[in-house]
Amino acid sequence: MKNMILAPSMLSADFGNLKKDVEMINRSEADWFHLDIMDGVFVPNISFGFPVVKYINKYAEKPLDVHLMIVQPERYIEEWKNAGADILTVHYEACAHLHRTIQQIKAAGMKAGVSLNPHTSVDLLEDVLPELDMVLIMSVNPGFGGQSFIGQALNKIKKLRAMADKSNPDLIIQVDGGVSSKNHKEIVAAGANALVAGSAVFGAENPEEMIKILKKA
Ligand code: DX5
Ligand code: ZN
């Protein structure tokens, strides 16, 4: 598919040598840096925060796609912008006033994304869909890299693409979790146009080559 966006997840990068992995992504055919922020409350894991994102932003030559797996994400919108986020994605399940949060993200000058856990139906986005730049379909339960792809995500992607064709044809549908060279074509065929890949990229013998393979979806 033309213009498929590939965003390697830095959660699987080598944090002892982060600059090297940032430079590898800069050189590669990847489009964005996917940065997973976990608070130990919304998900059962803690990842990294502002100082690491600022450091990545200092060396990154591509947009930062920040995926917030935190409760009450509306508390930190300006801070993420200041840290370098270009796209800010919040979880549907973490927002009491999702519409307001989306407007705040856009007012801060970022693209706005909403992510759905595997159990959350795409139908729930109908009323905010025209406002969104991106929907992130989680194809694993968020919190960890290296899990297996949940097949039901394919039906959700198809349904969401049909909804978007009516109310937001430019919507980016991103898929995150268990994406690899074994399933990337099927995911894009279902209607996704952005893929996140962590362990598939950084666990590969040649990450740059794997990025090239995943880009040919
Ligand atoms: C999971 C994160 C993902 C994760 C993907 O909660 O949102 O971005 O890094 O890792 P893989 O590609 O290994 O499933
Ligand atoms: Zn993610």
Side-chain angles (χ1 to χ4, degrees):
M1 187 186 183
K2 253 198 192 162
N3 299 328
M4 202 281 289
I5 296 163
L6 183 68
S9 166
M10 299 306 283
L11 192 64
S12 295
D14 178 0
F15 280 79
N17 214 339
L18 201 48
K19 194 172 169 197
K20 184 170 154 265
D21 281 344
V22 172
E23 284 168 349
M24 183 278 288
I25 303 291
N26 283 342
R27 267 197 321 270
S28 76
E29 289 181 20
D31 300 275
W32 297 346
F33 287 81
H34 184 81
L35 306 179
D36 290 300
I37 312 300
M38 304 177 183
D39 66 354
V41 179
F42 183 70
V43 288
N45 195 9
I46 297 177
S47 57
F48 50 84
F50 299 119
V52 174
V53 173
K54 281 184 182 158
Y55 176 84
I56 292 173
N57 187 45
K58 189 170 161 192
Y59 297 105
E61 292 163 5
K62 297 177 179 181
L64 303 191
D65 165 35
V66 175
H67 175 193
L68 295 182
M69 284 160 274
I70 66 172
V71 296
Q72 296 182 297
E74 66 280 358
R75 290 182 300 163
Y76 297 108
I77 289 169
E78 278 296 330
E79 283 87 343
W80 289 116
K81 172 69 184 171
N82 294 338
D86 296 285
I87 304 110
L88 193 66
T89 298
V90 295
H91 264 263
Y92 175 88
E93 303 85 2
C95 294
H97 301 284
L98 182 63
H99 185 274
R100 180 186 292 143
T101 304
I102 293 163
Q103 304 311 324
Q104 287 169 336
I105 294 170
K106 296 205 284 194
M110 295 174 284
K111 286 194 191 305
V114 171
S115 181
L116 301 179
N117 276 338
H119 71 273
T120 306
S121 169
V122 295
D123 292 336
L124 294 166
L125 289 181
E126 190 184 350
D127 295 309
V128 289
L129 207 55
E131 315 285 328
L132 294 177
D133 295 298
M134 182 166 93
V135 173
L136 194 181
I137 303 279
M138 285 306 301
S139 41
V140 298
N141 284 295
F144 303 93
Q147 304 181 79
S148 309
F149 185 83
I150 297 171
Q152 167 63 8
L154 293 171
N155 297 326
K156 290 172 74 170
I157 299 161
K158 284 180 200 152
K159 196 169 174 187
L160 180 62
R161 183 51 79 195
M163 285 165 68
D165 282 346
K166 290 189 195 131
S167 65
N168 185 352
D170 294 330
L171 182 76
I172 298 170
I173 300 182
Q174 186 179 50
V175 177
D176 183 8
V179 173
S180 73
S181 55
K182 291 200 179 85
N183 58 19
H184 70 302
K185 290 195 175 158
E186 200 181 2
I187 297 167
V188 170
N193 53 350
L195 298 178
V196 174
S199 50
V201 167
F202 291 99
E205 214 164 293
N206 183 339
E208 255 188 274
E209 194 52 41
M210 181 52 71
I211 288 169
K212 216 176 246 178
I213 292 168
L214 292 171
K215 276 288 286 183
K216 287 196 197 106

